[in-house]
């Protein structure tokens, strides 16, 4: 990028955004598009054709030769099929053509995407449909058109469709509540999200020598290095020149496609970093985060790095998460989780707060299930991420407000100003008065909630679908209770007191890592779903299914399909990891250990022939030989377990967790002991010290 060019000049330059549409479309077509995204009205074909032509001309001016419907199947990644704008003419030449029909609808082969039994593999037809609420953009000579993805019979096969439906559901319910407080201006309430993204940067030449990283995204072996993160000097430390160049390049690429990358810094572990964007609506934030993960990998490659977004690429140092900062705002620009300065504003805030607390408490298992997958099992509760027990942190001041409402006693704020919790007044609540609690799964941070459990590699769609749905459910219940009230403030006070009292158990401001909290959580009746195998059953729990079906987010078969897909993914990931581990043991570690043992024996024999003591070589060779035999036995046991994988998905889920992972852990422990014994020049792949301190 030309150093004379300001980011403000090229930000969004590759995005067919609202400003560009207004410049290039007729007034009627622009108005029709705006009506489409605000009210859901469909576009007629003439308007679609005009938008398509303007979009094509704009894209071609920026070097695009192809277009693609960009969608998000249940793999958690994105998918794309590229078609050129070329349309041959009879005289042997070609036109650049793109119609409204091609813009609005596509038909990719859908047979190989996860469907959870919604369709058979021989039924290949799937449809993509333009999402007009997310702007198209140009990248790598293609026009990318964000779309939903569904089956021939209409079931959602993607992550975007349920997210959009959940956003509609929470908007409808929130507007009903706002009307009770006299707000007649708001037409839509929008779920706002800011997803932080953590990742590791590893030298590409070292990465290519690690089969486990290439096959699984994480290291399956690795002894503890002499130094990890103990010095605490990497966190927010000086960014090294090569990494800084990568980060600058990444920002520029993201800014061009409209991703508002805002923050960049070193994270806790060596070679670990973070980028965070400015908040946007949940749908756009989801699209942007998918772009960010893709750009991380592509830009890293240009700089001789590999970006790892696995939750736990390395044992012994912190893993990576994706903190999901969630809030609600009106289309008039008001944040509904921002405490106000007047009693009426605070009454509204407290009602939304009560809905959130009640929703998280009632659907805690479903929220836990949305972040349940193999990579996150290595991270949650590992002294670097929240525990598997879900709780909400409010901070001292807000907790005191809630306690006073429950008890009906006076509330004294930080300034020692006492206010009575009565039927006609509620206390002023200071903004952003909470400390941060990094052990809390769900922390209030002034005007939003930070859901800290999502993993670094996952799509944020799933967690936000459930946050939106739970909030919609509780707000709808509150609206039904209060809309017929004859004494609104009195009934509101009673509702707040009841809800805070009944759901107080989910509130916890202490240390989530403390074992005493785990025991207390159990006594409170909170769930502690420690692993994916424990958590995934929540998808088929009747209460959870009814929530998502009732609000029109899923059909029953779609909900059940997602449960199946997550189980199949778990089984597949563990199977790949187990077979990769066995392959590395057989073809790399055992031969290396055997070779070095033979070298030691040869040295010992030479020294003995010379009448010199060889106790070091002899003893080390014996230890290596013993560990090598143990590793060969452990590898055989792992291979036998892999070959006994049950055919039934649920049985396989628990078999993977209870037996295959146990066998893998045993084999790894032996291999890691061997690594510390074998001369480094004989060890078959780079060590943790090489990988974690390879940044230059």
């Amino acid at each position: 990028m030309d150093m004379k060019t300001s980011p403000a000049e090229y930000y969004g330059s590759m995005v067919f955004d609202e400003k560009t549409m207004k410049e290039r479309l007729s007034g009627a077509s622009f108005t029709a598009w705006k009506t489409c995204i605000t009210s859901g009205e469909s576009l007629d074909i003439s308007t679609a054709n005009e938008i398509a032509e303007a979009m094509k001309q704009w894209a071609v001016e920026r070097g695009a030769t192809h277009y693609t419907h960009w969608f998000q199947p249940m793999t958690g990644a994105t998918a794309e099929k590229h078609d050129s704008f070329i349309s041959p003419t009879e005289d042997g030449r070609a036109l650049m053509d793109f119609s409204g029909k091609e813009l609005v609808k596509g038909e990719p082969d859908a047979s190989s995407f996860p469907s959870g039994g919604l369709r058979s593999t021989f039924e290949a037809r799937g449809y993509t449909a333009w999402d007009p609420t997310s702007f198209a953009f140009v990248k790598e000579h293609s026009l990318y058109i964000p779309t939903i993805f569904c089956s021939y019979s209409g079931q959602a096969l993607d992550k975007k469709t349920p997210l959009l439906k959940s956003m509609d559901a929470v908007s409808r319910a929130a507007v009903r509540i706002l009307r009770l407080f006299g707000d007649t201006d708001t037409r839509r309430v929008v779920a706002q999200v800011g997803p932080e993204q953590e990742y590791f940067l590893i030298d590409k030449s070292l990465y290519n020598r690690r089969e486990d990283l290439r096959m699984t995204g994480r290291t399956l072996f690795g002894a503890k290095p002499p130094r990890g993160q103990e010095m605490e000097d990497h966190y927010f430390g000086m960014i090294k020149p090569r990494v800084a160049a990568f980060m600058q390049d990444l920002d520029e690429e993201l800014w061009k496609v409209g991703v508002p990358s805002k923050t960049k810094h070193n994270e806790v572990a060596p070679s670990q970093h973070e980028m965070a964007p400015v908040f946007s609506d949940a749908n756009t934030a989801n699209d942007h985060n998918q772009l960010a993960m893709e750009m991380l990998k592509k830009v890293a490659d240009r700089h001789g790095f590999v970006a790892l977004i696995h939750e736990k690429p390395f044992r012994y140092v912190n893993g990576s998460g994706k903190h999901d900062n969630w809030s609600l705002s009106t289309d008039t620009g008001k944040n509904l989780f921002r405490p106000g300065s007047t009693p009426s504003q605070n009454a509204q805030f407290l009602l939304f707060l009560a809905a959130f607390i009640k929703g998280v408490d009632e659907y805690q298992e479903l929220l836990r299930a949305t972040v349940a997958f193999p990579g996150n099992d290595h991270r949650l509760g590992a002294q670097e991420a929240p525990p598997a027990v879900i709780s909400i942190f409010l901070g001292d001041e807000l907790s005191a407000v809630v306690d006073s409402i429950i008890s009906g006693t006076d509330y004294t704020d930080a300034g020692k100003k006492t206010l009575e919790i009565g039927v006609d007044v509620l206390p002023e609540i200071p903004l952003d008065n909470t400390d941060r609690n990094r052990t809390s799964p769900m922390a209030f941070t002034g005007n939003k909630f930070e859901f800290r459990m999502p993993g670094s590699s996952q799509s944020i769609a799933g967690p936000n679908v459930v946050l939106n749905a739970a909030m919609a459910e509780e707000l709808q219940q509150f609206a039904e209770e209060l809309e017929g009230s004859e004494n609104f403030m009195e009934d509101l006070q009673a509702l707040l007191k009841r809800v805070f009292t009944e759901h107080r158990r989910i509130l916890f401001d202490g240390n989530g890592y403390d074992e005493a909290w785990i025991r207390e959580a159990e006594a409170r009746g909170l769930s502690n779903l420690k692993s994916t195998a424990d958590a995934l059953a929540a998808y088929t729990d009747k209460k959870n299914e009814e929530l998502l079906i009732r609000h029109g987010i899923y059909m029953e078969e779609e909900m059940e399909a997602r449960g199946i897909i997550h189980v199949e993914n778990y089984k597949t990931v563990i199977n790949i990891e187990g077979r990769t581990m066995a392959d590395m043991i057989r073809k790399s570690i055992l031969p290396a250990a055997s070779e070095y043992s033979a070298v030691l024996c040869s040295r010992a024999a030479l020294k003995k022939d010379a009448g010199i003591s060889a106790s070091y070589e002899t003893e080390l060779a014996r230890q290596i030989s013993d560990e090598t035999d143990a590793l060969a036995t452990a590898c055989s046991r792992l291979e036998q377990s892999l070959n006994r994988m049950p055919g039934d998905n649920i049985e396989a889920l628990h078999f993977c967790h209870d037996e295959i992972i146990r066998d893998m852990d045993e084999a790894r422990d032996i291999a890691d002991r061997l690594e510390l014994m074998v001369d480094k020049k004989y060890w078959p792949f780079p060590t943790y010290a090489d990988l974690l301190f390879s940044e230059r």
Side-chain angles (χ1 to χ4, degrees):
M1 185 63 61
D2 186 346
M3 294 299 292
K4 296 179 181 179
T5 304
S6 164
E9 295 179 60
Y10 64 82
Y11 183 86
S13 60
M14 305 301 275
V15 183
F16 194 70
D17 56 17
E18 183 170 341
K19 179 176 179 291
T20 304
M21 295 177 79
K22 192 169 186 178
E23 292 171 351
R24 292 179 175 252
L25 298 178
S26 66
S29 290
F30 180 77
T31 300
W33 169 76
K34 288 286 287 184
T35 303
C36 170
I37 63 172
T38 55
S39 66
E41 293 183 17
S42 58
L43 295 172
D44 61 63
I45 190 61
S46 62
T47 301
N49 281 332
E50 182 181 339
I51 294 174
E53 178 62 23
M55 194 181 286
K56 180 208 71 180
Q57 289 181 0
W58 170 87
V60 169
E61 290 169 10
R62 282 152 182 76
T65 57
H66 290 68
Y67 70 92
T68 179
H69 276 197
W70 186 64
F71 58 101
Q72 300 172 27
M74 288 299 296
T75 58
T78 58
E80 53 199 59
K81 182 187 76 169
H82 298 253
D83 291 296
S84 75
F85 291 124
I86 295 296
S87 179
T89 61
E90 292 182 358
D91 60 0
R93 303 183 69 81
L95 298 174
M96 300 291 271
D97 188 43
F98 184 52
S99 69
K101 181 179 179 182
E102 290 167 318
L103 166 64
V104 172
K105 184 178 179 181
E107 187 182 340
D109 183 334
S111 60
S112 295
F113 291 113
S115 71
L118 284 175
R119 55 203 316 283
S120 302
T121 55
F122 67 85
E123 296 173 315
R125 182 164 291 181
Y127 293 106
T128 52
W130 177 37
D131 171 16
T133 66
S134 185
F135 297 128
F137 56 93
V138 169
K139 182 171 69 73
E140 297 168 351
H141 304 292
S142 281
L143 171 66
Y144 281 70
I145 304 164
T147 61
I148 65 169
F149 180 48
C150 62
S151 71
Y152 178 75
S153 49
Q155 297 105 334
L157 297 174
D158 68 341
K159 290 179 175 286
K160 178 186 275 279
T161 303
L163 179 60
L164 290 169
K165 291 180 177 179
S166 73
M167 292 172 69
D168 286 341
V170 75
S171 177
R172 289 192 299 271
V175 168
R176 287 179 67 181
I177 293 295
L178 293 178
R179 294 292 184 265
L180 296 173
F181 288 90
D183 181 343
T184 58
D185 296 327
T186 297
R187 292 291 176 266
R188 183 168 177 80
V189 170
V190 182
Q192 299 283 337
V193 174
E196 302 167 26
Q197 180 68 56
E198 295 177 344
Y199 60 94
F200 282 81
L201 284 180
I202 303 300
D203 192 274
K204 184 163 57 174
S205 63
L206 299 176
Y207 169 90
N208 287 335
R209 293 170 54 198
R210 293 282 313 213
E211 181 184 352
D212 47 3
L213 283 176
R214 289 185 282 110
M215 293 294 106
T216 72
R218 74 179 183 101
T219 54
L220 302 176
F221 303 100
K224 188 174 183 179
R227 175 182 173 182
Q229 61 192 52
E230 299 88 351
M231 297 297 293
E232 300 178 335
D233 58 343
H234 191 258
Y235 189 50
F236 282 22
M238 181 190 71
I239 300 173
K240 296 176 182 177
R242 185 179 167 197
V243 176
F246 154 80
M247 288 180 168
Q248 181 63 35
D249 196 2
L250 175 66
D251 276 343
E252 289 174 358
E253 293 293 340
L254 291 173
W255 290 339
K256 283 189 289 187
V257 293
V259 178
S261 177
K262 179 72 171 178
T263 303
K264 57 185 179 183
H265 62 83
N266 291 343
E267 256 299 333
V268 173
S271 294
Q272 188 185 32
H273 312 280
E274 179 180 303
M275 65 81 62
V278 177
F279 276 70
S280 56
D281 70 88
N283 183 37
T284 300
N286 181 51
D287 286 356
H288 283 173
N289 185 245
Q290 291 291 340
L291 271 173
M293 289 191 287
E294 177 189 323
M295 291 289 194
L296 275 170
K297 296 176 181 178
K298 290 185 176 180
V299 175
D301 185 70
R302 294 206 296 257
H303 290 260
F305 287 125
V306 172
L308 303 178
I309 57 173
H310 191 284
E311 287 65 34
K312 191 74 171 178
F314 304 102
R315 186 189 276 185
Y316 308 118
V317 297
N318 278 14
S320 298
K322 183 179 294 180
H323 301 165
D324 189 83
N325 295 278
W326 180 94
S327 188
L328 294 176
S329 67
T330 69
D331 55 6
T332 59
K334 297 177 182 177
N335 186 330
L336 297 177
F337 281 99
R338 181 186 178 95
S341 58
T342 67
S344 62
Q345 290 173 343
N346 279 327
Q348 179 179 293
F349 162 76
L350 288 169
L351 188 59
F352 277 89
L353 177 67
F356 187 86
I357 290 171
K358 184 171 183 283
V360 170
D361 187 21
E362 291 184 339
Y363 298 101
Q364 57 184 281
E365 293 87 359
L366 183 56
L367 276 168
R368 171 67 180 90
T370 67
V371 297
F373 55 96
N376 229 14
D377 278 1
H378 299 287
R379 170 180 163 265
L380 292 179
Q383 299 297 304
E384 65 203 66
V389 178
I390 289 185
S391 61
I392 296 175
F393 168 86
L394 294 181
D396 293 343
E397 197 77 21
L398 197 51
S399 292
V401 172
V402 171
D403 288 343
S404 67
I405 292 173
I406 292 172
S407 62
T409 58
D410 290 351
Y411 161 75
T412 303
D413 70 11
K416 306 303 180 185
K417 179 181 178 182
T418 301
L419 290 174
E420 181 182 352
I421 305 295
V423 297
D424 58 352
V425 67
L426 285 166
E428 180 176 346
I429 301 169
L431 174 65
D432 197 18
N433 67 320
T434 64
D435 196 2
R436 291 181 65 107
N437 185 335
R438 64 185 297 271
T439 73
S440 175
M442 194 77 74
F444 183 71
T445 55
N447 61 359
K448 58 184 171 60
F449 281 92
E450 184 179 16
F451 188 24
R452 299 175 56 89
M453 296 179 82
S456 53
S457 69
Q458 80 171 116
S459 164
I460 62 170
N464 285 296
V465 164
V466 175
L467 286 172
N468 292 342
M471 194 70 180
E473 173 68 16
E474 309 308 343
L475 291 175
Q476 179 174 287
Q477 289 183 17
F478 291 175
E480 291 171 355
E481 180 174 343
L482 294 172
E483 281 171 343
S485 172
E486 295 182 1
N487 190 327
F488 178 73
M489 287 303 296
E490 185 174 323
D491 290 342
L492 171 61
Q493 287 286 344
L495 185 153
L496 291 174
K497 181 173 184 176
R498 184 185 77 241
V499 170
F500 287 145
T501 301
E502 292 176 353
H503 299 281
R504 191 178 195 174
R505 65 173 187 168
I506 201 74
L507 303 178
F508 177 68
D509 286 355
N511 182 5
Y513 293 161
D514 196 327
E515 281 299 317
W517 160 239
I518 304 302
R519 294 191 294 272
E520 182 183 337
E522 182 179 3
R524 292 187 185 189
L526 300 179
S527 63
N528 184 9
L529 305 174
K530 296 180 180 179
S531 72
T532 298
D534 299 322
L536 289 186
Y539 277 105
T540 53
D541 181 89
K542 184 178 180 182
K543 177 185 72 173
N544 298 332
E545 285 190 339
E546 288 177 347
L547 167 73
L548 295 164
I549 294 168
R550 182 163 57 248
H551 290 278
I553 298 167
Y554 290 115
M555 294 181 279
E556 183 176 358
E557 61 268 27
E558 291 173 332
M559 187 69 182
E560 293 173 356
R562 273 150 175 78
I564 293 170
I565 288 169
H566 290 303
V567 170
E568 289 178 340
N569 176 69
Y570 183 84
K571 178 180 71 173
T572 300
V573 168
I574 301 302
N575 186 62
I576 291 172
E577 289 186 348
R579 295 196 179 279
T580 300
M581 173 174 273
D583 192 62
M584 293 177 72
I585 291 171
R586 292 286 185 205
K587 296 177 181 177
S588 299
I589 298 176
L590 290 177
S594 178
E595 180 182 5
Y596 185 56
S597 179
V599 169
L600 289 170
C601 290
S602 296
R603 291 175 184 171
L606 288 172
K607 292 177 77 171
K608 287 177 181 178
D609 289 345
I612 301 172
S613 171
S615 58
Y616 165 73
E617 289 83 1
T618 302
E619 178 59 23
L620 183 55
R622 184 193 63 76
Q623 292 176 12
I624 291 175
S625 180
D626 288 346
E627 295 287 14
T628 302
D629 290 345
L631 182 58
T633 300
C635 185
S636 295
R637 187 159 44 247
L638 171 60
E639 290 167 332
Q640 291 167 7
S641 293
L642 289 165
N643 291 332
R644 291 190 292 110
M645 180 79 72
D648 179 80
N649 272 343
I650 300 302
E651 290 180 14
L653 172 70
H654 293 284
F655 182 83
C656 285
H657 178 265
D658 298 339
E659 300 199 35
I660 292 180
I661 291 178
R662 177 202 62 198
D663 293 343
M664 289 176 65
D665 288 343
E666 180 182 346
R668 175 176 185 155
D669 289 343
I670 300 169
D672 289 354
R673 291 197 297 269
L674 272 172
E675 181 187 318
L676 296 174
M677 298 179 188
V678 174
D679 190 312
K680 186 175 179 179
K681 66 183 179 182
Y682 290 93
W683 196 246
F685 37 74
T687 65
Y688 272 14
D690 298 323
L691 293 165
L692 288 169
F693 295 93
S694 64
E695 293 179 355
R696 296 291 184 268

